[in-house]
Amino acid sequence: MLIVTHELIVLGALLLLALAGEAVGRHTQVPRISLLVLLGFLLGPAALDLVDPRESASFGFVAALALSMVGFLVGGKLSIAVFRASGGAILRVSVVQALVTFSIVAGGLLLLTVPLELALLLAAIATATDPAATLDAIIQSRRKSSYADTLTGVVAVDDAWGLILFSLSLALIQVLTTSTIDNGIVLHLSRELLGAVFLGFLLGLPMALLSGRIRKGQPTLMEAMGMVMLCAGLAQWLGVSHLLACVVMGITVVNLARHHKRPFHAVEEIEWPFLAIFFIFSGAYLTLDALGAVGGLLLAYLFLRVAGRLLGGFLVAMPGAKTYRWIGLAMLPQAGVAMAMAFQAVSLYPELQDSLLPLVIAATVVFELVGPVATRMLLMRVPENS
């Protein structure tokens, strides 16, 4: 009983502190995610030592639920209608950017003698973006153009490619780090990947059928949250990726549902309190010793990710679409999905906790601060009729 009481007090206090952080963000223009991570850093073992996610009984539940909601919403961006409306530009730009960024980061880190597991995981994490921060930058720039519309679509679907590359990287790591590849390993990897896809599709079908027959408001919220929790729980019970399963469920719903927007809007309305606590806990993972240990690797990761984004834009522009040459600069913000990948990776490879988590969390703060500024500057240079 005492543990439950303590956890309730902690969670309640963190929500109120997150609310205060929102107020500070509105007056300073500092991204709220960066503020929450910095707040967690101050509350964590590195400073005041009031919150320690390693000892919190509720962190695992909050993280799993928040990241499952993120996966479901990411899947909801991959509708066939979105790709048709852009004439293929969104698909082309997003795929090239994801593959080039992954290749540059992985190749660069391997050349720096970073261990294979860490290099591949960081490369997959590097492909993720923050659609919310990019959209805010587009709104603040007050520029209306087909370029801005394409950018909005690209960052909306970019995280899905990142999650797919992340899942494939996990499978590749298991294959490459095993001395002998036998049928048992192949079957295990197939079960993990295909199992997540099958589970997401299996649960997405009834959800798609229900979404047009359930009233708006609380009934829709109960349906959406119930399915997300069920998908995440079953995935963990079956030993498959709950992130990928929730993404596939979102893809199924958005393409097959009669009123596909309702469940996504319902999840969006309740998602932020859980994410706010997750970001504070993530900041509490940071320690000065951990940051000092990954300082050089952090700089390399920042440089390689920016280089990958820039090169991806230049390759997309080669066929003649010169307006996309600098689009990589508009895709620098990074937040929830990147952290989701990092925490799932650490759950599978605990030995990477001291190197992977501090690096990804610190990089998130940097890209959340610098990324939106770069996006606005780029949009101001693009003609409105482009």
Side-chain angles (χ1 to χ4, degrees):
M1 185 65 180
L2 186 60
I3 294 177
V4 174
T5 302
H6 177 264
E7 292 296 318
L8 288 174
I9 293 173
V10 169
L11 293 178
L14 291 182
L15 282 174
L16 293 176
L17 287 172
L19 183 62
E22 292 252 358
V24 173
R26 285 195 296 270
H27 290 89
T28 62
Q29 298 301 312
V30 178
R32 60 182 181 178
I33 292 173
S34 296
L35 283 171
L36 293 176
V37 171
L38 292 173
L39 176 61
F41 177 76
L42 293 175
L43 294 174
L48 299 176
D49 199 16
L50 297 175
V51 175
D52 190 347
R54 300 167 185 82
E55 298 179 358
S56 173
S58 58
F59 176 65
F61 172 77
V62 171
L65 181 56
L67 301 181
S68 296
M69 287 191 282
V70 167
F72 177 67
L73 293 175
V74 167
K77 305 297 183 182
L78 287 179
S79 67
I80 297 174
V82 168
F83 295 123
R84 286 177 177 171
S86 68
I90 291 176
L91 181 62
R92 185 178 72 255
V93 174
S94 62
V95 170
V96 170
Q97 281 286 359
L99 292 176
V100 172
T101 301
F102 179 87
S103 301
I104 293 295
V105 175
L109 292 178
L110 289 173
L111 287 175
L112 294 173
T113 68
V114 173
L116 176 66
E117 299 94 328
L118 188 57
L120 290 178
L121 291 172
L122 285 174
I125 292 170
T127 63
T129 55
D130 180 8
T134 305
L135 183 58
D136 286 344
I138 293 173
I139 294 172
Q140 291 175 16
S141 71
R142 298 178 181 177
R143 307 285 286 185
K144 294 182 179 180
S145 63
S146 60
Y147 185 90
D149 293 339
T150 301
L151 176 60
T152 301
V154 168
V155 296
V157 304
D158 199 52
D159 286 339
W161 306 138
L163 284 170
I164 291 170
L165 286 171
F166 178 74
S167 299
L168 293 175
S169 295
L170 288 175
L172 182 61
I173 288 170
Q174 292 187 47
V175 170
L176 295 179
T177 55
T178 303
S179 57
T180 57
I181 301 176
D182 55 29
N183 292 333
I185 294 174
V186 174
L187 289 174
H188 177 70
L189 296 177
S190 300
R191 184 182 69 84
E192 284 193 355
L193 293 177
L194 297 180
V197 172
F198 180 73
L199 177 63
F201 180 71
L202 192 65
L203 293 177
L205 283 177
M207 190 175 184
L209 294 174
L210 286 172
S211 64
R213 295 170 172 79
I214 295 180
R215 290 184 293 108
K216 295 181 180 180
Q218 291 182 348
T220 297
L221 177 59
M222 293 167 66
E223 169 222 353
M225 288 305 301
M227 292 300 291
V228 169
M229 288 182 178
L230 183 64
C231 184
L234 287 175
Q236 292 189 347
W237 181 56
L238 294 171
V240 301
S241 170
H242 66 282
L243 267 176
L244 184 58
C246 288
V247 169
V248 174
M249 186 171 72
I251 294 173
T252 305
V253 172
V254 78
N255 286 292
L256 298 181
R258 180 180 176 187
H259 296 288
H260 62 79
K261 293 183 179 180
R262 289 185 187 175
F264 297 104
H265 288 164
V267 172
E268 286 172 346
E269 290 177 359
I270 199 174
E271 174 198 31
W272 181 244
F274 293 96
L275 275 178
I277 295 175
F278 170 70
F279 288 130
I280 292 176
F281 273 134
S282 298
Y285 261 98
L286 289 176
T287 63
L288 293 176
D289 290 340
L291 286 174
V294 299
L297 183 58
L298 173 61
L299 292 176
Y301 173 78
L302 294 174
F303 173 80
L304 290 170
R305 184 171 185 265
V306 174
R309 288 306 195 195
L310 287 173
L311 180 58
F314 274 77
L315 291 178
V316 169
M318 284 179 63
K322 293 185 177 180
T323 53
Y324 294 122
R325 181 173 295 173
W326 300 100
I327 197 170
L329 287 178
M331 300 173 65
L332 292 181
Q334 193 171 44
V337 175
M339 288 194 185
M341 295 183 200
F343 275 93
Q344 184 170 6
V346 167
S347 69
L348 296 172
Y349 300 98
E351 67 275 12
L352 298 179
Q353 177 171 311
D354 293 335
S355 54
L356 184 66
L357 280 185
L359 189 152
V360 174
I361 295 170
T364 295
V365 173
V366 173
F367 284 126
E368 280 292 290
L369 290 172
V370 176
V373 177
T375 302
R376 285 196 296 270
M377 291 177 59
L378 177 65
L379 289 170
M380 296 303 295
R381 296 176 61 89
V382 177
E384 293 206 30
N385 60 353
S386 63

